[in-house]
Amino acid sequence: MSQSTEKIDLKNVTNNMFLGIDVGSVSTKFAVVNEDMKLVYATWARTQGSPIKSVQEGFANLRKVFGESGSSIKAVGTTGSARYLIKSLVKADLAKTEIISHAVASSYYVPQVRTILEIGGQDSKLILMQDGIITDFTMNSICAAGTGSFLDHQAHRLGIPIEEFGDYAAKSTVDVAIAGRCTVFAESDMVHKQQMGYPKEDIINGLCEALVRNYLNNLCKGKTLLPPFVFQGGVAANSGIRKSFEKSLGCEVIVPEYFLTMGAIGAALLARTHIEENNLKTIFCGFSVSDEKFVTAGFNCSGCPNKCEITCVNKEKGELVARWGDRCGKWTI
């Protein structure tokens, strides 16, 4: 799947709408909400190693739905690992972490949420909430064994589309234990189980349970997990993982309708609050950003022994758009 549209609802298009952009290393998500906080538009696409290009393509798609200028967009928020880069590129009004953005969106759709389980393509997160406030969180961005990339890789090995993983797991009749602590152990264990003659359905179900076991043992160690549970991020599409969570937690796990774009929705809601509460006017540059040509360059700072790698993004005519990478803040724009 290279791109998908979660929602286009032209009935709720107004002249006061708010855009959220969530740019990660695996995927780029756009979400637009109106002044009543109703979701009007949401898309998901693979970043394909180029956050700038994927965002420009996202704006090109927005043009087709909302017209040329983008004047109906009254505020823009960014989140994800490339949030500061994209904030500079499109002149967004604020940039917030994924933790905050996901928590805001979850609280909107499930107001009493206490535990948010988020598994994306490259990392996984646990967010604990009480009365709409984040009380604790943890992330796993080091080990791939508990992420969507891990499942993608194993699906490719087994020759099964990742979208059908949950259906296969549901057909399992025998419990098969797969070592999910790391990708190397998981692969060797899966090969071993295949050689023993276990069907794919049982191996896939074992893989889902291994991922959940890995998540709970690593991210949730020492934490008190309370319901309601909300499961979001790309891996939430896998019904096998959701059922494994429910089996381990002994409780229903809620998957929101727009689980793929919750970070972008949260960024849009935060942008709306930021503009309205501070009585500000957006600095958003409009949809024309999709026509711009950007050039990325870099250098190593020689100001101290850290020798930080500084990345610069310029427009085609040389105008500096963004610069980051220094620890001291000397070059950051």
mmCIF file of all heavy atoms in Angstrom, residues 160-188:
data_model
loop_
_atom_site.group_PDB
_atom_site.id
_atom_site.type_symbol
_atom_site.label_atom_id
_atom_site.label_comp_id
_atom_site.label_asym_id
_atom_site.label_seq_id
_atom_site.Cartn_x
_atom_site.Cartn_y
_atom_site.Cartn_z
ATOM 1 N N ILE A 160 2.994 -13.258 2.263
ATOM 2 C CA ILE A 160 1.601 -12.913 2.577
ATOM 3 C C ILE A 160 1.464 -11.392 2.636
ATOM 4 O O ILE A 160 2.281 -10.731 3.297
ATOM 5 C CB ILE A 160 1.185 -13.521 3.936
ATOM 6 C CG1 ILE A 160 1.180 -15.044 3.827
ATOM 7 C CG2 ILE A 160 -0.175 -13.017 4.389
ATOM 8 C CD1 ILE A 160 0.980 -15.729 5.136
ATOM 9 N N PRO A 161 0.466 -10.795 1.972
ATOM 10 C CA PRO A 161 0.254 -9.341 2.102
ATOM 11 C C PRO A 161 0.026 -8.980 3.572
ATOM 12 O O PRO A 161 -0.754 -9.658 4.256
ATOM 13 C CB PRO A 161 -0.997 -9.080 1.261
ATOM 14 C CG PRO A 161 -1.089 -10.246 0.336
ATOM 15 C CD PRO A 161 -0.519 -11.420 1.073
ATOM 16 N N ILE A 162 0.661 -7.895 4.023
ATOM 17 C CA ILE A 162 0.553 -7.510 5.432
ATOM 18 C C ILE A 162 -0.902 -7.233 5.813
ATOM 19 O O ILE A 162 -1.309 -7.463 6.956
ATOM 20 C CB ILE A 162 1.440 -6.274 5.724
ATOM 21 C CG1 ILE A 162 1.454 -5.941 7.214
ATOM 22 C CG2 ILE A 162 1.017 -5.070 4.909
ATOM 23 C CD1 ILE A 162 2.085 -6.990 8.079
ATOM 24 N N GLU A 163 -1.719 -6.788 4.822
ATOM 25 C CA GLU A 163 -3.130 -6.485 5.104
ATOM 26 C C GLU A 163 -3.919 -7.745 5.502
ATOM 27 O O GLU A 163 -4.983 -7.664 6.096
ATOM 28 C CB GLU A 163 -3.799 -5.832 3.887
ATOM 29 C CG GLU A 163 -3.255 -4.456 3.520
ATOM 30 C CD GLU A 163 -2.014 -4.532 2.647
ATOM 31 O OE1 GLU A 163 -1.549 -5.666 2.357
ATOM 32 O OE2 GLU A 163 -1.489 -3.469 2.284
ATOM 33 N N GLU A 164 -3.394 -8.942 5.129
ATOM 34 C CA GLU A 164 -4.115 -10.190 5.417
ATOM 35 C C GLU A 164 -3.590 -10.911 6.657
ATOM 36 O O GLU A 164 -4.013 -12.017 6.974
ATOM 37 C CB GLU A 164 -4.021 -11.122 4.189
ATOM 38 C CG GLU A 164 -4.674 -10.537 2.945
ATOM 39 C CD GLU A 164 -4.490 -11.426 1.726
ATOM 40 O OE1 GLU A 164 -4.078 -12.591 1.892
ATOM 41 O OE2 GLU A 164 -4.734 -10.940 0.610
ATOM 42 N N PHE A 165 -2.651 -10.264 7.345
ATOM 43 C CA PHE A 165 -2.026 -10.900 8.513
ATOM 44 C C PHE A 165 -3.070 -11.289 9.565
ATOM 45 O O PHE A 165 -3.052 -12.397 10.111
ATOM 46 C CB PHE A 165 -0.999 -9.946 9.119
ATOM 47 C CG PHE A 165 0.374 -10.550 9.230
ATOM 48 C CD1 PHE A 165 1.021 -11.052 8.112
ATOM 49 C CD2 PHE A 165 1.023 -10.612 10.444
ATOM 50 C CE1 PHE A 165 2.281 -11.604 8.200
ATOM 51 C CE2 PHE A 165 2.288 -11.167 10.552
ATOM 52 C CZ PHE A 165 2.921 -11.667 9.427
ATOM 53 N N GLY A 166 -3.971 -10.342 9.873
ATOM 54 C CA GLY A 166 -4.973 -10.595 10.907
ATOM 55 C C GLY A 166 -5.899 -11.741 10.552
ATOM 56 O O GLY A 166 -6.262 -12.554 11.411
ATOM 57 N N ASP A 167 -6.298 -11.811 9.256
ATOM 58 C CA ASP A 167 -7.187 -12.897 8.810
ATOM 59 C C ASP A 167 -6.501 -14.249 8.969
ATOM 60 O O ASP A 167 -7.130 -15.229 9.377
ATOM 61 C CB ASP A 167 -7.577 -12.679 7.342
ATOM 62 C CG ASP A 167 -8.411 -11.421 7.160
ATOM 63 O OD1 ASP A 167 -9.068 -11.008 8.139
ATOM 64 O OD2 ASP A 167 -8.397 -10.853 6.059
ATOM 65 N N TYR A 168 -5.219 -14.306 8.643
ATOM 66 C CA TYR A 168 -4.479 -15.564 8.810
ATOM 67 C C TYR A 168 -4.421 -15.950 10.286
ATOM 68 O O TYR A 168 -4.637 -17.109 10.655
ATOM 69 C CB TYR A 168 -3.061 -15.430 8.245
ATOM 70 C CG TYR A 168 -2.943 -15.816 6.789
ATOM 71 C CD1 TYR A 168 -3.243 -14.911 5.784
ATOM 72 C CD2 TYR A 168 -2.535 -17.093 6.418
ATOM 73 C CE1 TYR A 168 -3.138 -15.243 4.446
ATOM 74 C CE2 TYR A 168 -2.432 -17.455 5.080
ATOM 75 C CZ TYR A 168 -2.733 -16.521 4.093
ATOM 76 O OH TYR A 168 -2.634 -16.881 2.771
ATOM 77 N N ALA A 169 -4.105 -14.971 11.144
ATOM 78 C CA ALA A 169 -3.972 -15.258 12.581
ATOM 79 C C ALA A 169 -5.284 -15.781 13.163
ATOM 80 O O ALA A 169 -5.288 -16.652 14.047
ATOM 81 C CB ALA A 169 -3.523 -13.996 13.328
ATOM 82 N N ALA A 170 -6.420 -15.265 12.639
ATOM 83 C CA ALA A 170 -7.733 -15.678 13.162
ATOM 84 C C ALA A 170 -8.021 -17.144 12.868
ATOM 85 O O ALA A 170 -8.848 -17.764 13.544
ATOM 86 C CB ALA A 170 -8.821 -14.790 12.552
ATOM 87 N N LYS A 171 -7.368 -17.714 11.855
ATOM 88 C CA LYS A 171 -7.613 -19.116 11.476
ATOM 89 C C LYS A 171 -6.732 -20.090 12.253
ATOM 90 O O LYS A 171 -6.811 -21.299 12.046
ATOM 91 C CB LYS A 171 -7.366 -19.289 9.975
ATOM 92 C CG LYS A 171 -8.319 -18.493 9.091
ATOM 93 C CD LYS A 171 -7.906 -18.596 7.635
ATOM 94 C CE LYS A 171 -8.770 -17.692 6.756
ATOM 95 N NZ LYS A 171 -8.254 -17.627 5.372
ATOM 96 N N SER A 172 -5.893 -19.569 13.127
ATOM 97 C CA SER A 172 -4.962 -20.436 13.868
ATOM 98 C C SER A 172 -5.726 -21.364 14.825
ATOM 99 O O SER A 172 -6.700 -20.959 15.464
ATOM 100 C CB SER A 172 -3.988 -19.567 14.663
ATOM 101 O OG SER A 172 -3.227 -20.370 15.535
ATOM 102 N N THR A 173 -5.269 -22.597 14.898
ATOM 103 C CA THR A 173 -5.904 -23.568 15.806
ATOM 104 C C THR A 173 -4.932 -24.103 16.854
ATOM 105 O O THR A 173 -5.352 -24.750 17.817
ATOM 106 C CB THR A 173 -6.469 -24.759 15.004
ATOM 107 O OG1 THR A 173 -5.407 -25.339 14.221
ATOM 108 C CG2 THR A 173 -7.593 -24.310 14.079
ATOM 109 N N VAL A 174 -3.637 -23.851 16.646
ATOM 110 C CA VAL A 174 -2.626 -24.377 17.572
ATOM 111 C C VAL A 174 -1.712 -23.241 18.022
ATOM 112 O O VAL A 174 -1.277 -22.422 17.199
ATOM 113 C CB VAL A 174 -1.772 -25.475 16.884
ATOM 114 C CG1 VAL A 174 -0.664 -25.960 17.816
ATOM 115 C CG2 VAL A 174 -2.651 -26.636 16.455
ATOM 116 N N ASP A 175 -1.460 -23.144 19.322
ATOM 117 C CA ASP A 175 -0.547 -22.118 19.822
ATOM 118 C C ASP A 175 0.896 -22.473 19.467
ATOM 119 O O ASP A 175 1.369 -23.576 19.764
ATOM 120 C CB ASP A 175 -0.672 -21.998 21.348
ATOM 121 C CG ASP A 175 -1.972 -21.318 21.749
ATOM 122 O OD1 ASP A 175 -2.551 -20.602 20.899
ATOM 123 O OD2 ASP A 175 -2.412 -21.505 22.890
ATOM 124 N N VAL A 176 1.581 -21.518 18.792
ATOM 125 C CA VAL A 176 2.988 -21.713 18.437
ATOM 126 C C VAL A 176 3.793 -20.581 19.059
ATOM 127 O O VAL A 176 3.499 -19.405 18.824
ATOM 128 C CB VAL A 176 3.180 -21.697 16.899
ATOM 129 C CG1 VAL A 176 4.654 -21.759 16.542
ATOM 130 C CG2 VAL A 176 2.435 -22.859 16.274
ATOM 131 N N ALA A 177 4.774 -20.924 19.865
ATOM 132 C CA ALA A 177 5.590 -19.897 20.530
ATOM 133 C C ALA A 177 6.710 -19.456 19.606
ATOM 134 O O ALA A 177 7.510 -20.270 19.140
ATOM 135 C CB ALA A 177 6.161 -20.452 21.831
ATOM 136 N N ILE A 178 6.738 -18.118 19.310
ATOM 137 C CA ILE A 178 7.805 -17.531 18.491
ATOM 138 C C ILE A 178 8.600 -16.585 19.383
ATOM 139 O O ILE A 178 8.023 -15.780 20.116
ATOM 140 C CB ILE A 178 7.220 -16.726 17.307
ATOM 141 C CG1 ILE A 178 6.335 -17.618 16.427
ATOM 142 C CG2 ILE A 178 8.340 -16.073 16.496
ATOM 143 C CD1 ILE A 178 7.054 -18.597 15.562
ATOM 144 N N ALA A 179 9.922 -16.660 19.293
ATOM 145 C CA ALA A 179 10.767 -15.749 20.070
ATOM 146 C C ALA A 179 10.719 -14.374 19.415
ATOM 147 O O ALA A 179 11.176 -14.221 18.282
ATOM 148 C CB ALA A 179 12.198 -16.267 20.119
ATOM 149 N N GLY A 180 10.144 -13.394 20.099
ATOM 150 C CA GLY A 180 9.983 -12.074 19.495
ATOM 151 C C GLY A 180 10.903 -11.027 20.070
ATOM 152 O O GLY A 180 10.711 -9.842 19.845
ATOM 153 N N ARG A 181 11.928 -11.448 20.810
ATOM 154 C CA ARG A 181 12.783 -10.469 21.476
ATOM 155 C C ARG A 181 13.567 -9.616 20.483
ATOM 156 O O ARG A 181 13.804 -8.444 20.706
ATOM 157 C CB ARG A 181 13.746 -11.191 22.424
ATOM 158 C CG ARG A 181 14.522 -10.249 23.315
ATOM 159 C CD ARG A 181 15.301 -10.997 24.357
ATOM 160 N NE ARG A 181 14.435 -11.741 25.247
ATOM 161 C CZ ARG A 181 14.876 -12.605 26.163
ATOM 162 N NH1 ARG A 181 16.170 -12.823 26.290
ATOM 163 N NH2 ARG A 181 14.036 -13.238 26.935
ATOM 164 N N CYS A 182 13.989 -10.211 19.357
ATOM 165 C CA CYS A 182 14.661 -9.424 18.330
ATOM 166 C C CYS A 182 14.406 -10.084 16.981
ATOM 167 O O CYS A 182 13.978 -11.239 16.891
ATOM 168 C CB CYS A 182 16.151 -9.278 18.604
ATOM 169 S SG CYS A 182 17.115 -10.701 18.105
ATOM 170 N N THR A 183 14.658 -9.321 15.889
ATOM 171 C CA THR A 183 14.345 -9.812 14.548
ATOM 172 C C THR A 183 15.147 -11.055 14.198
ATOM 173 O O THR A 183 14.660 -11.947 13.510
ATOM 174 C CB THR A 183 14.615 -8.713 13.507
ATOM 175 O OG1 THR A 183 15.958 -8.278 13.668
ATOM 176 C CG2 THR A 183 13.685 -7.544 13.688
ATOM 177 N N VAL A 184 16.397 -11.129 14.642
ATOM 178 C CA VAL A 184 17.249 -12.279 14.315
ATOM 179 C C VAL A 184 16.671 -13.549 14.940
ATOM 180 O O VAL A 184 16.507 -14.584 14.274
ATOM 181 C CB VAL A 184 18.691 -12.047 14.804
ATOM 182 C CG1 VAL A 184 19.549 -13.289 14.545
ATOM 183 C CG2 VAL A 184 19.292 -10.830 14.125
ATOM 184 N N PHE A 185 16.340 -13.491 16.249
ATOM 185 C CA PHE A 185 15.772 -14.654 16.933
ATOM 186 C C PHE A 185 14.417 -15.036 16.311
ATOM 187 O O PHE A 185 14.108 -16.214 16.132
ATOM 188 C CB PHE A 185 15.582 -14.371 18.423
ATOM 189 C CG PHE A 185 16.871 -14.262 19.181
ATOM 190 C CD1 PHE A 185 16.938 -13.539 20.358
ATOM 191 C CD2 PHE A 185 18.017 -14.889 18.722
ATOM 192 C CE1 PHE A 185 18.117 -13.431 21.070
ATOM 193 C CE2 PHE A 185 19.209 -14.794 19.420
ATOM 194 C CZ PHE A 185 19.265 -14.062 20.595
ATOM 195 N N ALA A 186 13.593 -14.028 15.989
ATOM 196 C CA ALA A 186 12.263 -14.302 15.440
ATOM 197 C C ALA A 186 12.370 -15.027 14.104
ATOM 198 O O ALA A 186 11.670 -16.008 13.859
ATOM 199 C CB ALA A 186 11.485 -13.000 15.274
ATOM 200 N N GLU A 187 13.266 -14.555 13.232
ATOM 201 C CA GLU A 187 13.405 -15.185 11.915
ATOM 202 C C GLU A 187 13.889 -16.625 12.032
ATOM 203 O O GLU A 187 13.359 -17.531 11.378
ATOM 204 C CB GLU A 187 14.368 -14.366 11.045
ATOM 205 C CG GLU A 187 13.719 -13.146 10.451
ATOM 206 C CD GLU A 187 14.527 -12.567 9.312
ATOM 207 O OE1 GLU A 187 15.394 -13.282 8.771
ATOM 208 O OE2 GLU A 187 14.285 -11.412 8.978
ATOM 209 N N SER A 188 14.905 -16.833 12.862
ATOM 210 C CA SER A 188 15.436 -18.192 12.992
ATOM 211 C C SER A 188 14.382 -19.112 13.621
ATOM 212 O O SER A 188 14.253 -20.272 13.234
ATOM 213 C CB SER A 188 16.729 -18.185 13.819
ATOM 214 O OG SER A 188 16.474 -17.696 15.113
#
